[in-house]
Amino acid sequence: MFQKMQNAYQQHQQQPLVLVTSAGAKSAVPNSEQRRHLSNMLSDARALFSEIHVVIEGNELQHNLQRVIVSGMLIVTRTYDDQFIRVHKNADGAAGFIARRLGVDGSQVVNEARSRGVVM
């Protein structure tokens, strides 16, 4: 995945990108090794992005806890920056940020992602 991010960065003349990553409501909670890899990838990829949006879908207690845990990990590892990384309950929460950063219709981008089955 990191190689794909680097390739996209190179293809766009090294202009910072916006990353929106989504974990669906049925996604399993990452184990400790997966969390370590995700944290390392975040550190490595930080220079490639002007913003990162983490969408953790779902309304159950598990999903609320995941959002709190991700936010907490970002604070503890000092990678939290409200201007850089944001955690959202659904993709609609990222739409306004996408619109402002990229100058596009963020809702249209989210709707396109929905039509492709990327987000709910």
Side-chain angles (χ1 to χ4, degrees):
M1 180 57 89
F2 180 70
Q3 186 62 48
K4 288 183 180 188
M5 289 187 273
Q6 281 185 313
N7 290 344
Y9 181 72
Q10 294 298 325
Q11 287 175 339
H12 294 281
Q13 292 79 39
Q14 298 184 344
Q15 293 296 310
L17 304 171
V18 173
L19 173 65
V20 179
T21 180
S22 174
K26 295 182 181 179
S27 297
V29 175
N31 63 32
S32 60
E33 181 180 349
Q34 292 167 329
R35 288 191 304 270
R36 189 179 78 252
H37 287 296
L38 287 168
S39 180
N40 290 341
M41 186 172 64
L42 172 62
S43 295
D44 293 342
R46 189 172 178 100
L48 307 177
F49 299 100
S50 60
E51 289 182 14
I52 295 177
H53 298 275
V54 179
V55 178
I56 301 175
E57 298 174 335
N59 294 317
E60 295 178 15
L61 177 61
Q62 170 188 343
H63 306 112
N64 291 327
L65 288 174
Q66 286 177 353
R67 283 188 286 276
V68 168
I69 289 168
V70 169
S71 296
M73 281 180 50
L74 295 173
I75 291 168
V76 168
T77 60
R78 295 194 167 112
T79 53
Y80 179 79
D81 175 350
D82 193 42
Q83 300 304 312
F84 180 67
I85 300 176
R86 294 174 181 89
V87 179
H88 304 280
K89 190 173 185 173
N90 56 52
D92 294 318
F97 296 104
I98 293 168
R100 281 190 293 282
R101 176 63 70 172
L102 300 179
V104 298
D105 183 342
S107 296
Q108 184 177 351
V109 171
V110 169
N111 288 336
E112 180 67 25
R114 278 193 181 106
S115 73
R116 295 176 184 218
V118 177
V119 294
M120 299 303 274

XYZ file of all heavy atoms in Angstrom, residues 26-94:
549
model
N -18.128 -3.636 9.414
C -17.873 -5.054 9.663
C -16.382 -5.384 9.706
O -16.005 -6.534 9.808
C -18.569 -5.896 8.595
C -20.076 -5.779 8.667
C -20.778 -6.635 7.641
C -22.282 -6.431 7.765
N -23.029 -7.200 6.787
N -15.538 -4.364 9.654
C -14.090 -4.586 9.708
C -13.675 -5.072 11.086
O -14.184 -4.601 12.099
C -13.330 -3.293 9.401
O -13.607 -2.857 8.105
N -12.722 -5.987 11.094
C -12.199 -6.490 12.366
C -11.277 -5.450 12.987
O -10.655 -4.651 12.285
C -11.426 -7.780 12.121
N -11.204 -5.475 14.295
C -10.284 -4.593 15.012
C -8.870 -5.104 14.751
O -8.597 -6.292 14.893
C -10.591 -4.606 16.527
C -9.578 -3.788 17.296
C -12.004 -4.124 16.785
N -7.928 -4.215 14.357
C -6.555 -4.666 14.085
C -5.888 -5.206 15.349
O -6.072 -4.671 16.443
C -5.837 -3.399 13.614
C -6.869 -2.350 13.443
C -8.112 -2.795 14.132
N -5.100 -6.270 15.157
C -4.354 -6.799 16.302
C -3.111 -5.937 16.528
O -2.870 -4.973 15.797
C -3.999 -8.277 16.084
C -3.085 -8.494 14.899
O -2.239 -7.655 14.566
N -3.228 -9.649 14.238
N -2.321 -6.276 17.539
C -1.186 -5.413 17.903
C -0.158 -5.304 16.779
O 0.387 -4.220 16.538
C -0.517 -5.907 19.183
O -0.036 -7.218 19.024
N 0.103 -6.386 16.062
C 1.060 -6.324 14.947
C 0.526 -5.438 13.821
O 1.258 -4.620 13.260
C 1.353 -7.728 14.414
C 2.358 -7.723 13.277
C 2.658 -9.120 12.756
O 2.249 -10.117 13.393
O 3.304 -9.202 11.698
N -0.752 -5.574 13.502
C -1.362 -4.736 12.466
C -1.355 -3.268 12.880
O -1.080 -2.392 12.059
C -2.790 -5.210 12.188
C -2.855 -6.562 11.531
C -4.248 -7.160 11.545
O -5.048 -6.919 12.468
N -4.552 -7.962 10.531
N -1.626 -2.985 14.144
C -1.580 -1.601 14.626
C -0.173 -1.023 14.507
O 0.002 0.130 14.140
C -2.087 -1.514 16.072
C -3.589 -1.699 16.199
C -4.092 -1.333 17.589
N -3.435 -2.049 18.662
C -3.839 -3.222 19.160
N -4.921 -3.811 18.665
N -3.186 -3.784 20.152
N 0.823 -1.840 14.832
C 2.211 -1.379 14.710
C 2.539 -1.040 13.259
O 3.131 -0.002 12.973
C 3.180 -2.434 15.260
C 4.613 -1.918 15.359
C 5.587 -2.949 15.919
N 5.938 -3.912 14.884
C 5.529 -5.172 14.826
N 4.749 -5.671 15.755
N 5.891 -5.967 13.846
N 2.133 -1.906 12.338
C 2.375 -1.650 10.913
C 1.648 -0.389 10.445
O 2.196 0.405 9.676
C 1.961 -2.854 10.059
C 2.895 -4.006 10.168
N 4.204 -3.961 9.756
C 2.709 -5.250 10.661
C 4.782 -5.118 9.985
N 3.894 -5.924 10.533
N 0.409 -0.203 10.890
C -0.349 0.996 10.519
C 0.337 2.252 11.054
O 0.436 3.262 10.355
C -1.783 0.895 11.046
C -2.685 -0.087 10.319
C -3.974 -0.312 11.107
C -2.984 0.379 8.918
N 0.817 2.178 12.268
C 1.503 3.323 12.863
C 2.789 3.646 12.105
O 3.085 4.813 11.822
C 1.813 3.041 14.332
O 2.469 4.139 14.907
N 3.544 2.610 11.756
C 4.775 2.819 10.989
C 4.479 3.392 9.614
O 5.186 4.281 9.134
C 5.560 1.510 10.853
C 6.161 1.055 12.164
O 6.314 1.835 13.096
N 6.471 -0.222 12.251
N 3.429 2.891 8.972
C 3.064 3.400 7.654
C 2.649 4.864 7.744
O 3.000 5.673 6.895
C 1.952 2.566 7.018
C 1.649 2.991 5.581
S 0.512 1.904 4.704
C -0.986 2.091 5.636
N 1.929 5.232 8.791
C 1.535 6.623 8.983
C 2.771 7.511 9.096
O 2.844 8.561 8.461
C 0.662 6.775 10.227
C 0.346 8.208 10.649
C -0.433 8.927 9.550
C -0.425 8.209 11.948
N 3.739 7.076 9.871
C 4.974 7.860 10.019
C 5.695 8.005 8.688
O 6.160 9.093 8.338
C 5.908 7.196 11.035
O 5.339 7.209 12.306
N 5.779 6.919 7.933
C 6.475 6.952 6.642
C 5.734 7.792 5.610
O 6.348 8.461 4.783
C 6.654 5.531 6.095
C 7.604 4.687 6.933
O 8.380 5.266 7.727
O 7.548 3.453 6.803
N 4.401 7.747 5.650
C 3.588 8.411 4.623
C 3.278 9.865 4.935
O 2.795 10.592 4.072
C 2.281 7.643 4.437
N 3.574 10.313 6.131
C 3.189 11.659 6.563
C 3.622 12.740 5.582
O 2.878 13.677 5.295
C 3.737 11.933 7.953
C 3.208 13.210 8.556
C 3.626 13.345 10.018
N 3.148 14.587 10.570
C 2.081 14.722 11.327
N 1.367 13.664 11.636
N 1.702 15.895 11.777
N 4.809 12.628 5.032
C 5.331 13.648 4.116
C 4.591 13.678 2.771
O 4.691 14.654 2.036
C 6.815 13.412 3.876
N 3.834 12.635 2.462
C 3.152 12.554 1.170
C 1.805 13.257 1.153
O 1.260 13.533 0.088
C 2.930 11.082 0.778
C 4.152 10.162 0.775
C 3.727 8.738 0.442
C 5.218 10.665 -0.177
N 1.258 13.552 2.340
C -0.120 14.027 2.434
C -0.230 15.375 3.134
O 0.479 15.646 4.095
C -0.985 13.002 3.180
C -1.030 11.673 2.480
C -0.239 10.630 2.910
C -1.838 11.490 1.373
C -0.258 9.407 2.243
C -1.859 10.278 0.704
C -1.069 9.232 1.141
N -1.156 16.187 2.650
C -1.455 17.442 3.330
C -2.538 17.221 4.379
O -2.643 17.984 5.329
C -1.906 18.507 2.327
O -3.066 18.091 1.651
N -3.348 16.184 4.204
C -4.405 15.828 5.160
C -4.629 14.326 5.101
O -4.509 13.714 4.041
C -5.745 16.480 4.805
C -5.817 17.948 5.008
C -7.200 18.510 4.683
O -8.177 17.742 4.558
O -7.289 19.729 4.563
N -4.997 13.760 6.243
C -5.413 12.354 6.314
C -6.741 12.318 7.066
O -6.878 12.925 8.124
C -4.368 11.481 7.029
C -3.070 11.434 6.206
C -4.917 10.071 7.269
C -1.955 10.649 6.858
N -7.699 11.619 6.493
C -9.014 11.442 7.113
C -9.235 9.951 7.325
O -9.152 9.169 6.380
C -10.122 12.018 6.220
C -9.955 13.486 6.012
N -10.438 14.411 6.904
C -9.321 14.179 5.036
C -10.116 15.619 6.480
N -9.441 15.510 5.354
N -9.491 9.571 8.567
C -9.745 8.181 8.925
C -11.239 8.057 9.196
O -11.759 8.699 10.108
C -8.930 7.770 10.171
C -9.217 6.321 10.539
C -7.442 7.995 9.941
N -11.916 7.259 8.378
C -13.353 7.040 8.534
C -13.547 5.658 9.152
O -13.124 4.654 8.578
C -14.083 7.122 7.170
C -15.572 6.832 7.338
C -13.849 8.472 6.508
N -14.132 5.633 10.345
C -14.458 4.370 11.000
C -15.974 4.323 11.100
O -16.578 4.999 11.931
C -13.791 4.260 12.388
C -12.270 4.372 12.239
C -14.187 2.950 13.068
C -11.504 4.389 13.541
N -16.577 3.553 10.200
C -18.029 3.510 10.088
C -18.640 2.629 11.163
O -17.992 1.735 11.690
C -18.420 3.003 8.705
C -17.929 3.910 7.590
C -18.191 3.342 6.202
O -18.311 2.115 6.056
O -18.267 4.149 5.264
N -19.876 2.880 11.469
C -20.619 2.051 12.412
C -21.025 2.830 13.641
O -20.377 3.796 14.028
N -22.138 2.407 14.255
C -22.699 3.103 15.409
C -22.634 2.297 16.695
O -23.060 2.776 17.735
C -24.163 3.470 15.128
C -24.267 4.483 14.015
O -23.490 5.433 13.976
N -25.212 4.280 13.115
N -22.158 1.075 16.629
C -22.126 0.244 17.822
C -20.991 0.672 18.740
O -20.091 1.419 18.353
C -21.971 -1.219 17.416
C -23.167 -1.738 16.633
C -23.003 -3.174 16.187
O -22.110 -3.867 16.705
O -23.771 -3.591 15.313
N -21.019 0.174 19.960
C -20.001 0.499 20.947
C -18.601 0.205 20.417
O -17.679 1.006 20.602
C -20.259 -0.291 22.240
C -19.235 -0.104 23.355
C -19.183 1.359 23.799
C -19.546 -1.019 24.522
N -18.440 -0.911 19.726
C -17.131 -1.285 19.176
C -16.587 -0.182 18.264
O -15.416 0.167 18.336
C -17.248 -2.593 18.393
C -16.014 -2.929 17.596
C -16.223 -4.129 16.678
O -17.161 -4.890 16.840
N -15.345 -4.286 15.726
N -17.438 0.393 17.429
C -16.993 1.414 16.484
C -16.646 2.717 17.204
O -15.670 3.378 16.869
C -18.066 1.646 15.416
C -18.454 0.377 14.736
N -19.690 -0.181 14.907
C -17.759 -0.456 13.929
C -19.746 -1.312 14.219
N -18.591 -1.503 13.629
N -17.463 3.056 18.200
C -17.161 4.250 18.989
C -15.835 4.080 19.715
O -15.018 5.011 19.766
C -18.284 4.543 19.994
C -19.555 4.984 19.293
O -19.507 5.639 18.256
N -20.693 4.620 19.853
N -15.593 2.887 20.257
C -14.324 2.621 20.931
C -13.157 2.688 19.948
O -12.085 3.208 20.283
C -14.357 1.257 21.626
C -15.232 1.166 22.869
C -15.306 -0.268 23.375
C -14.719 2.092 23.953
N -13.351 2.160 18.744
C -12.282 2.223 17.744
C -11.923 3.673 17.434
O -10.740 4.011 17.340
C -12.698 1.499 16.462
C -12.685 0.008 16.587
C -13.181 -0.676 15.326
O -13.660 -0.043 14.394
N -13.073 -1.986 15.293
N -12.914 4.522 17.277
C -12.641 5.932 16.995
C -11.875 6.573 18.149
O -10.914 7.318 17.941
C -13.948 6.679 16.708
C -14.493 6.412 15.317
C -15.672 7.319 14.988
N -16.882 6.922 15.684
C -17.732 5.985 15.262
N -17.502 5.338 14.136
N -18.819 5.708 15.942
N -12.278 6.255 19.375
C -11.591 6.799 20.548
C -10.163 6.267 20.615
O -9.210 7.016 20.876
C -12.373 6.454 21.847
C -11.555 6.753 23.077
C -13.687 7.207 21.872
N -9.980 4.974 20.354
C -8.645 4.377 20.415
C -7.738 4.986 19.351
O -6.587 5.333 19.629
C -8.735 2.840 20.269
C -9.353 2.251 21.539
C -7.363 2.240 19.995
C -9.769 0.804 21.415
N -8.243 5.136 18.124
C -7.423 5.738 17.059
C -7.053 7.161 17.433
O -5.890 7.564 17.322
C -8.155 5.695 15.694
C -7.443 6.543 14.667
C -8.265 4.262 15.206
N -8.005 7.934 17.902
C -7.714 9.306 18.313
C -6.688 9.319 19.442
O -5.750 10.121 19.437
C -8.992 10.018 18.759
O -9.891 10.137 17.681
N -6.857 8.408 20.404
C -5.916 8.321 21.515
C -4.518 7.936 21.062
O -3.523 8.507 21.530
N -4.424 6.975 20.134
C -3.109 6.584 19.614
C -2.421 7.756 18.937
O -1.212 7.936 19.068
C -3.250 5.423 18.614
C -3.441 4.074 19.254
S -3.601 2.739 18.033
C -2.210 3.024 16.969
N -3.185 8.545 18.208
C -2.597 9.698 17.523
C -2.075 10.720 18.527
O -1.022 11.322 18.315
C -3.626 10.334 16.585
C -4.068 9.467 15.417
C -5.212 10.134 14.664
C -2.909 9.168 14.487
N -2.802 10.895 19.622
C -2.357 11.843 20.642
C -1.116 11.308 21.360
O -0.125 12.023 21.520
C -3.496 12.138 21.649
C -4.597 12.945 20.944
C -2.965 12.883 22.874
C -5.879 13.061 21.735
N -1.150 10.049 21.777
C -0.036 9.453 22.523
C 1.239 9.414 21.686
O 2.334 9.686 22.185
C -0.403 8.032 23.015
C 0.808 7.283 23.535
C -1.477 8.128 24.091
N 1.115 9.110 20.409
C 2.300 9.029 19.547
C 2.689 10.395 18.988
O 3.597 10.506 18.178
C 2.062 8.059 18.371
O 0.951 8.520 17.597
C 1.812 6.649 18.862
N 1.960 11.408 19.413
C 2.208 12.791 18.988
C 2.100 12.958 17.473
O 2.765 13.789 16.884
C 3.566 13.270 19.486
C 3.609 13.356 20.990
C 4.802 14.134 21.453
N 4.629 14.456 22.855
C 5.370 13.959 23.833
N 6.342 13.139 23.548
N 5.145 14.307 25.068
N 1.263 12.138 16.848
C 0.994 12.315 15.415
C -0.332 13.029 15.212
O -0.714 13.301 14.092
C 0.976 10.960 14.668
O 0.079 10.074 15.326
C 2.352 10.344 14.616
N -1.036 13.313 16.318
C -2.321 13.994 16.207
C -2.098 15.466 15.896
O -1.314 16.146 16.533
C -3.123 13.874 17.503
C -4.445 14.599 17.423
C -5.524 14.024 16.774
C -4.607 15.858 17.970
C -6.729 14.685 16.685
C -5.811 16.531 17.893
C -6.865 15.932 17.243
O -8.055 16.587 17.149
N -2.780 15.928 14.907
C -2.750 17.335 14.524
C -4.083 17.586 13.854
O -4.334 17.070 12.768
C -1.588 17.592 13.563
C -1.558 19.011 13.024
O -2.531 19.757 13.226
O -0.565 19.365 12.386
N -4.963 18.350 14.482
C -6.317 18.538 13.968
C -6.332 19.125 12.562
O -7.303 18.986 11.846
C -7.132 19.424 14.921
C -8.607 19.380 14.596
O -9.117 18.269 14.308
O -9.247 20.432 14.611
N -5.253 19.769 12.163
C -5.192 20.287 10.800
C -4.691 19.229 9.824
O -4.740 19.418 8.625
C -4.281 21.517 10.738
C -4.744 22.647 11.617
C -6.170 23.078 11.304
O -6.527 23.278 10.153
N -6.988 23.200 12.324
N -4.168 18.128 10.330
C -3.576 17.109 9.467
C -4.354 15.790 9.481
O -4.680 15.254 8.453
C -2.123 16.858 9.888
C -1.421 15.830 9.058
C -1.142 16.075 7.721
C -1.047 14.622 9.603
C -0.497 15.124 6.944
C -0.400 13.666 8.833
C -0.127 13.920 7.506
N -4.645 15.275 10.669
C -5.330 13.983 10.777
C -6.643 14.175 11.520
O -6.674 14.759 12.597
C -4.480 12.949 11.533
C -3.157 12.706 10.821
C -5.247 11.644 11.685
C -2.231 11.774 11.568
N -7.710 13.648 10.911
C -9.026 13.727 11.546
C -9.683 12.344 11.493
O -9.503 11.618 10.528
C -9.908 14.735 10.824
C -9.411 16.163 10.942
C -10.250 17.088 10.069
N -9.764 18.448 10.145
C -8.830 18.953 9.346
N -8.275 18.207 8.423
N -8.454 20.211 9.475
N -10.449 12.029 12.521
C -11.177 10.767 12.584
C -12.658 11.095 12.438
O -13.165 11.998 13.117
C -10.908 10.032 13.917
C -11.690 8.726 13.978
C -9.410 9.777 14.088
N -13.338 10.369 11.545
C -14.750 10.635 11.257
C -15.595 9.381 11.479
O -15.125 8.262 11.305
C -14.929 11.066 9.793
C -14.096 12.242 9.405
N -14.446 13.543 9.702
C -12.916 12.315 8.733
C -13.526 14.368 9.224
N -12.590 13.650 8.637
N -16.865 9.611 11.790
C -17.825 8.522 11.980
C -18.315 7.976 10.630
O -18.688 6.820 10.518
C -19.003 9.047 12.799
C -19.951 8.002 13.268
C -20.974 8.606 14.213
C -21.870 7.553 14.783
N -22.755 8.090 15.814
N -18.338 8.843 9.626
C -18.739 8.413 8.286
C -18.046 9.305 7.251
O -17.455 10.333 7.600
C -20.267 8.438 8.119
C -20.847 9.797 8.424
O -20.413 10.812 7.885
N -21.850 9.827 9.282
N -18.117 8.904 6.013
C -17.414 9.624 4.946
C -17.939 11.036 4.753
O -17.191 11.930 4.347
C -17.512 8.837 3.643
N -19.211 11.259 5.070
C -19.760 12.608 4.935
C -18.993 13.613 5.793
O -18.890 14.786 5.438
C -21.247 12.631 5.308
C -22.089 11.840 4.328
O -21.835 11.942 3.115
O -22.993 11.119 4.794
N -18.443 13.143 6.904
C -17.671 14.015 7.775
C -16.413 14.557 7.116
O -15.903 15.610 7.490
N -15.900 13.851 6.123
C -14.687 14.283 5.417
C -14.993 15.153 4.208
O -14.105 15.837 3.690
C -13.878 13.060 4.982
